[in-house]
Amino acid sequence: MNYFDFFQIPVAFVLDEALLKRKFYANSKQYHPDFFATTSPEEQAHALHLSTLNNEAYRTLADPDSRMQYVLNLKEVLAEEGQNEVPSDFLAEMMELNEALMELEFDFEEEMLKKVSLQVDELEKGLYEEVAPLLIGYDDQQATPEALSAIKDYYFKRKYLLRIRENLSKFATH
Amino acid sequence: MAYSDKVLDHFKNPKNVGTLDKSKNTVGTGLVGAPECGDVMRLQIEVDPSSNTILDAKFKTFGCGSAIASSSLATEWLKGKSIDQALTIDNMDIVEELALPPVKIHCSVLAEDAIKAAIRDYQVKNGIEVTAEASSH
């Protein structure tokens, strides 16, 4: 049973997060160890298992990035580590951004930081807009390999951007 | 996870960090990435065409300690080697030298890919028969 089945919701990249939260809370109540204090050890163990599953499943699906990774793994489109690639022009761009950030660390310039932040914003927005229809309109029964492959590319490119964002945030205190 | 002393040494005092002029015909550039972690590695070699020997090697890596150590070690090994010798560098040599734990083996693979990509770039640029296989990983 996958995490989506566990919450009885369709496999999706974009989902009703409020609904997910309600289901998570309902499960948390239902499987709470306190309610099983007087039951058999087997039942207690089962409730604990479901309670743990509930937490793991919610943590995974509540965050859009880990949800995306989870679905891509379900669909078995992520290759083994070391076999995944992003286009070389994108890599070159990431190299440049990382180098610009490194320079900022040594020689801080407000203008440069703004420029880099803006570039990252635009890149992120452009990538999302390209893939958004696929993410929003995803139908698990009719997903094509091409669509999944495009989402996978987006997922890996995002990894680079998230990392750069993390570094960018370190300058926030300047 | 504890890093070995050798990884720490290369990480804290990386050798050969920098950039070579990629517009020069004698310079080969390899740019590779590990998308799983958002790592990107650039490794460059400068070759003496008359002897086919690698005169200089530089790298720049944005990634974890093992990725930096792997590329730092790779550039150390490349200097003074012939192209043919350089192509025999295997990622497992790097794993062994740095005592990389199994979860970090992909960092050494990245370094090997970068070496091959740099040599390939040099060979393509100069119309030399390409002996560096495309990324096998």
Side-chain angles (χ1 to χ4, degrees):
Chain A
M1 181 173 60
N2 70 47
Y3 291 164
F4 291 96
D5 296 342
F6 179 73
F7 289 118
Q8 294 169 302
I9 53 176
V11 175
F13 290 97
V14 180
L15 50 74
D16 182 345
E17 291 181 9
L19 174 71
L20 178 69
K21 199 178 235 173
R22 281 201 302 278
K23 296 209 174 211
F24 166 66
Y25 283 141
N27 286 343
S28 303
K29 224 181 231 173
Q30 192 184 341
Y31 306 132
H32 198 286
D34 286 3
F35 299 132
F36 297 85
T38 57
T39 60
S40 71
E42 288 79 20
E43 276 177 272
Q44 282 184 18
H46 186 60
L48 184 65
H49 165 72
L50 289 174
S51 168
T52 310
L53 183 62
N54 185 43
N55 282 305
E56 277 176 14
Y58 179 69
R59 206 177 42 228
T60 305
L61 298 190
D63 173 67
D65 285 306
S66 68
R67 185 192 314 144
M68 185 158 39
Q69 180 181 14
Y70 185 74
V71 177
L72 291 172
N73 269 323
L74 268 186
K75 307 309 286 182
E76 298 180 337
V77 288
L78 297 185
E80 249 176 73
E81 208 166 288
Q83 313 271 331
N84 294 300
E85 279 179 16
V86 293
S88 60
D89 54 343
F90 182 80
L91 263 189
E93 199 171 4
M94 293 304 104
M95 192 71 184
E96 263 172 45
L97 281 172
N98 275 305
E99 284 182 311
L101 281 175
M102 197 175 206
E103 254 165 58
L104 276 172
E105 242 170 77
F106 289 112
D107 187 7
F108 184 76
E109 271 179 62
E110 193 70 43
E111 277 308 300
M112 192 62 194
L113 178 65
K114 272 189 195 146
K115 209 180 133 210
V116 173
S117 303
L118 198 68
Q119 196 183 341
V120 173
D121 288 347
E122 277 172 11
L123 207 62
E124 207 166 20
K125 194 164 156 256
L127 287 175
Y128 177 73
E129 278 169 4
E130 223 172 278
V131 80
L134 295 176
L135 294 176
I136 296 165
Y138 183 78
D139 177 343
D140 196 47
Q141 302 307 314
Q142 293 173 16
T144 62
E146 291 76 24
L148 283 167
S149 171
I151 295 170
K152 179 190 71 176
D153 287 350
Y154 172 68
Y155 166 74
F156 282 127
K157 284 177 178 172
R158 252 191 87 71
K159 286 260 179 185
Y160 281 95
L161 290 175
L162 285 173
R163 200 198 162 104
I164 286 170
R165 279 239 172 273
E166 205 179 293
N167 287 329
L168 267 175
S169 67
K170 290 181 194 155
F171 292 106
T173 48
H174 273 272
Chain B
M1 181 191 63
Y3 280 131
S4 69
D5 289 344
K6 275 181 182 160
V7 171
L8 286 175
D9 181 43
H10 276 284
F11 177 58
K12 287 182 189 154
N13 310 295
K15 320 288 189 296
N16 314 311
V17 173
T19 313
L20 297 171
D21 181 1
K22 70 174 180 185
S23 66
K24 276 166 80 176
N25 267 340
T26 49
V27 170
T29 302
L31 183 66
V32 295
E36 295 86 357
C37 357
D39 285 3
V40 53
M41 179 184 289
R42 184 181 61 214
L43 189 147
Q44 295 180 297
I45 51 169
E46 175 149 32
V47 183
D48 171 19
S50 60
S51 63
N52 238 349
T53 308
I54 296 171
L55 298 172
D56 199 5
K58 297 267 187 228
F59 83 94
K60 214 168 228 188
T61 295
F62 296 96
C64 66
S66 309
I68 292 168
S70 295
S71 35
S72 170
L73 177 67
T75 51
E76 281 289 273
W77 279 353
L78 285 171
K79 282 195 272 184
K81 278 202 167 62
S82 71
I83 294 280
D84 290 344
Q85 285 169 333
L87 284 173
T88 64
I89 296 176
D90 185 78
N91 81 289
M92 288 314 285
D93 301 335
I94 298 172
V95 170
E96 212 168 291
E97 174 69 19
L98 295 175
L100 291 181
V103 293
K104 290 291 173 183
I105 287 180
H106 67 278
C107 298
S108 68
V109 173
L110 203 58
E112 186 194 323
D113 285 349
I115 294 174
K116 299 221 155 85
I119 293 175
R120 197 183 160 79
D121 181 53
Y122 168 76
Q123 291 176 326
V124 169
K125 233 179 188 177
N126 290 279
I128 304 168
E129 190 198 345
V130 175
T131 54
E133 57 196 289
S135 167
S136 59
H137 300 286

